[in-house]
Amino acid sequence: MKNLIFVWSVLFVFIGCNQTPKEKQDTSQSVDSIHSEEELYRPNFHFTPKTGWMNDPNGMFFYNGYYHLFFQHYPDGNVWGPMHWGHAVSTDMVQWRELPIALEPDEKGYIFSGSAVVDMENTSGFGDGSTPPIIAMFTYHDPVGEKEGREDFQTQAIAYSLDEGTTWTKYEGNPVIDNPGIKDFRDPKITWDMEHKQWLMVLAADDKTMFYGSRNLKDWDLLSEFGKGIGAHGGVWECPDFFPIQVENSDEVKWILIQSLGPGGYNGGSGTQYFVGDFDGKKFKLDPSMENLSEKHKHWIDYGKDNYAGVTWSNIPDSDGRVLFMGWMSNWQYANKVPTETWRGAMTVARELRLKKVGDIYRVYSLPVEELGNYISKTYDKELIEVENTVKIATSANIDLAKAIIKYEFALSQNENYEFRLSNQKGDTLKFGFDKPKNQFYLDRKKSGITSFNEDFANKVSIAPRTSKSEKISVKIVLDKTSIELFFDNGETVMTEIFFPIAPFETFSAAGKTIFKIEKLKINQLKFN
Ligand code: FRU
């Protein structure tokens, strides 16, 4: 275990070199001296690399009982650097085992984000007849070309694995897609298009998504483009995903295009929007209900600041049928500065995405995967809690608030503000809740602990418009040491954010000016080996 004083003095010197005088003033924030970085900040169950830097999830596929997660990784430093694909596997998307690095940069460039598919029919011809080849597609980012000021330094390439994703061979014909003169041209995500019997690939290209088709995963034809002037455009589009999904309680199938962008997220910095529509094998057509998206009605997978570049797993068996998603739990505004040293970056919990039609609007709902429920060690229930002023709901005497799932509902009443708080005796408080007059949820980490490493981290309270019309608001909260994932209204509105308290949170409480009722409270304690 690292010596705390050493870690924090290194961090202080490191930050000190990069800080403006204004940032330097705030040295009052320091971690509780009895806690090391590992103890205090290494998540209990969210994936982090053992050491080094991590950003986007990549190449997620399921095969032979294992969920594979690759990730943007710089193993030799704790800030972004020459990108590799790290690798981890899990049998349940909850507990992960990190494996050796899968793809390393080479003379063609860094290995940027991308995806992987299981080529069951050996359409690529890479198979040896004994096992289906796994094909990874990624972006080569050539740092030399970038330095020279060229436009064409990002190209698309493939690699294959004949041992279920453990080792990889880069294709000698790379790149398989040359750069057409677009500076930001990256992050290929492949899907098998069952209806039109083709491999489909979406690529982020500056301010739009480009759609490609292929029969063999090597030769790709440009099919169409989507997105210029549609949706949010506060920054470059990155990391798209595109897949069919059945509308809940109907036979209707729609296509969802997920499209991250940065900056320009709903609460600033990185964010992930989605579009719902139809696909004819060539072109994506936005559903008429999503045309003329006003600022308020743009659709975001997550309104919190820390869920970026999320995509779905490929090759999930029909017998399962879920659409499974995971994102990177950080934001480019401050990702390189968050106060951990040994590693930097964590993933969200895996989530199931569903599409529901409410009135004539299609909405994506997300909820944590049910597998998390297998780790419940005890449950604390309460049918009814009346809140007036402040009420303690749970404390660390009975619940470890750094590995818990909390569920409850509250009915809207005369009360205007419905607030919930996590706090410790050092004075750190994380607040979230619902502001009835404004009809919006909020998440406030201004006083949640260490915040001074970057001014965009906690300068504003994050908000999310409520779209559900229900009289009751349901809340599901996934809590780890340094993250909160809030699923309101059964996952209709989601907010994910990270925080760095100087000591663990000890108390969970609620506050309201006039009486309101918390119903069906369930606190599930999670336990991991
Ligand atoms: C998104 C992103 C991708 C790129 C990768 C580089 O976070 O910028 O567009 O491929 O990170 O690490």
Side-chain angles (χ1 to χ4, degrees):
M1 196 173 292
K2 275 200 171 182
N3 176 305
L4 175 87
I5 297 169
F6 171 71
V7 171
W8 285 99
S9 54
V10 169
L11 180 64
F12 182 68
V13 170
F14 173 72
I15 290 177
C17 303
N18 295 294
Q19 272 178 331
T20 61
K22 186 173 154 281
E23 281 173 308
K24 254 188 189 158
Q25 284 164 10
D26 191 1
T27 49
S28 56
Q29 297 180 309
S30 63
V31 292
D32 187 351
S33 58
I34 59 164
H35 291 100
S36 70
E37 170 181 281
E38 281 294 316
E39 261 182 288
L40 197 52
Y41 293 155
R42 173 83 74 182
N44 279 314
F45 56 100
H46 287 78
F47 178 73
T48 49
K50 281 203 178 70
T51 58
W53 165 270
M54 175 175 81
N55 56 293
D56 317 352
N58 294 152
M60 291 143 75
F61 72 91
F62 175 81
Y63 187 67
N64 211 8
Y66 287 98
Y67 295 89
H68 291 256
L69 166 66
F70 299 85
F71 51 93
Q72 287 288 278
H73 188 34
Y74 180 42
D76 303 322
N78 59 13
V79 290
W80 190 89
M83 283 291 110
H84 300 55
W85 274 26
H87 188 194
V89 288
S90 170
T91 54
D92 64 0
M93 296 170 284
V94 180
Q95 284 197 307
W96 293 95
R97 183 159 53 91
E98 194 173 341
L99 297 176
I101 284 170
L103 291 168
E104 302 201 0
D106 57 43
E107 69 292 344
K108 294 197 176 86
Y110 300 164
I111 315 293
F112 269 23
S113 285
S115 55
V117 289
V118 182
D119 184 13
M120 285 296 185
E121 308 293 330
N122 194 21
T123 60
S124 62
F126 290 129
D128 61 4
S130 65
T131 176
I134 317 285
I135 314 300
M137 190 166 197
F138 56 89
T139 299
Y140 263 128
H141 172 98
D142 172 17
V144 181
E146 183 186 25
K147 254 208 193 108
E148 288 169 0
R150 301 168 66 105
E151 298 273 280
D152 59 356
F153 56 87
Q154 295 188 337
T155 55
Q156 316 314 320
I158 55 177
Y160 60 91
S161 169
L162 299 179
D163 56 8
E164 303 186 9
T166 311
T167 60
W168 295 83
T169 307
K170 289 172 187 147
Y171 176 47
E172 76 264 4
N174 279 336
V176 293
I177 302 180
D178 284 324
N179 188 302
I182 303 174
K183 211 165 121 247
D184 295 291
F185 183 68
R186 57 179 178 266
D187 310 335
K189 177 73 168 74
I190 312 176
T191 310
W192 173 246
D193 174 8
M194 180 85 93
E195 197 187 335
H196 309 99
K197 304 265 176 306
Q198 62 178 338
W199 294 107
L200 257 185
M201 187 270 285
V202 280
L203 196 63
D206 190 9
D207 57 353
K208 56 190 181 295
T209 318
M210 293 174 89
F211 293 71
Y212 289 81
S214 175
R215 304 276 154 195
N216 60 11
L217 294 158
K218 295 175 191 158
D219 303 304
W220 292 92
D221 299 318
L222 179 62
L223 302 175
S224 58
E225 296 177 0
F226 171 85
K228 236 185 183 355
I230 304 171
H233 278 282
V236 154
W237 282 20
E238 300 183 312
C239 298
D241 194 357
F242 189 55
F243 50 86
I245 188 169
Q246 192 163 342
V247 181
E248 197 145 281
N249 301 319
S250 98
D251 293 335
E252 193 183 18
V253 172
K254 286 284 188 187
W255 284 76
I256 296 177
L257 172 66
I258 288 180
Q259 189 56 83
S260 285
L261 83 160
Y266 192 79
N267 283 293
S270 314
T272 302
Q273 57 184 330
Y274 68 87
F275 303 93
V276 181
D278 299 296
F279 184 66
D280 63 6
K282 287 207 156 94
K283 232 176 147 35
F284 175 61
K285 195 168 172 299
L286 194 65
D287 190 80
S289 68
M290 285 195 87
E291 277 165 16
N292 305 320
L293 295 173
S294 68
E295 196 48 54
K296 206 163 171 198
H297 294 103
K298 282 178 189 144
H299 292 196
W300 298 89
I301 284 282
D302 196 313
Y303 285 82
K305 289 192 75 155
D306 299 306
N307 180 357
Y308 192 58
V311 286
T312 59
W313 263 277
S314 70
N315 206 45
I316 298 298
D318 289 345
S319 56
D320 179 322
R322 290 177 295 175
V323 175
L324 298 165
F325 171 98
M326 186 180 256
W328 171 48
M329 208 155 47
S330 200
N331 188 310
W332 281 115
Q333 284 180 332
Y334 42 75
N336 279 287
K337 293 279 173 81
V338 297
T340 61
E341 274 288 292
T342 320
W343 79 95
R344 266 216 183 91
M347 295 299 177
T348 66
V349 285
R351 300 172 183 186
E352 181 183 353
L353 303 185
R354 293 175 192 226
L355 186 65
K356 296 192 195 180
K357 194 173 183 186
V358 186
D360 65 346
I361 309 265
Y362 294 93
R363 278 190 204 289
V364 172
Y365 285 61
S366 350
L367 282 173
V369 291
E370 64 191 22
E371 283 86 339
L372 258 180
N374 297 336
Y375 294 88
I376 297 171
S377 61
K378 63 176 178 181
T379 299
Y380 169 79
D381 281 301
K382 199 135 200 194
E383 227 6 75
L384 183 69
I385 298 174
E386 297 219 339
V387 181
E388 194 175 8
N389 298 321
T390 312
V391 172
K392 262 189 199 169
I393 301 175
T395 71
S396 53
N398 40 25
I399 289 287
D400 180 349
L401 293 166
K403 40 177 174 225
I405 300 179
I406 305 179
K407 291 193 290 188
Y408 54 90
E409 302 178 348
F410 56 93
L412 298 176
S413 65
Q414 294 302 313
N415 187 52
E416 295 199 333
N417 202 48
Y418 302 75
E419 184 157 288
F420 305 92
R421 298 176 187 156
L422 285 156
S423 52
N424 62 22
Q425 287 178 15
K426 305 277 175 187
D428 300 336
T429 308
L430 180 76
K431 298 178 191 172
F432 59 93
F434 181 63
D435 178 335
K436 194 171 129 198
K438 292 192 175 140
N439 193 37
Q440 69 191 18
F441 298 107
Y442 63 92
L443 178 50
D444 177 356
R445 60 181 173 190
K446 281 187 169 166
K447 301 230 153 42
S448 62
I450 298 185
T451 57
S452 60
F453 50 87
N454 179 282
E455 64 171 25
D456 288 316
F457 184 73
N459 58 345
K460 285 192 211 134
V461 175
S462 295
I463 54 167
R466 183 173 191 234
T467 45
S468 169
K469 302 270 183 292
S470 163
E471 279 300 303
K472 273 195 181 160
I473 295 183
S474 73
V475 191
K476 186 168 199 170
I477 309 166
V478 177
L479 276 180
D480 203 327
K481 287 182 200 168
T482 48
S483 61
I484 185 162
E485 295 167 271
L486 292 166
F487 302 87
F488 295 111
D489 292 320
N490 298 312
E492 184 167 326
T493 305
V494 182
M495 297 183 90
T496 301
E497 290 197 355
I498 54 174
F499 49 80
F500 302 92
I502 63 175
F505 287 134
E506 296 152 356
T507 308
F508 178 52
S509 54
K513 270 207 182 111
T514 49
I515 293 185
F516 78 93
K517 290 176 183 160
I518 296 177
E519 294 167 51
K520 298 188 187 152
L521 173 82
K522 214 179 235 269
I523 304 185
N524 290 320
Q525 181 72 76
L526 302 177
K527 190 173 173 210
F528 302 92
N529 307 322

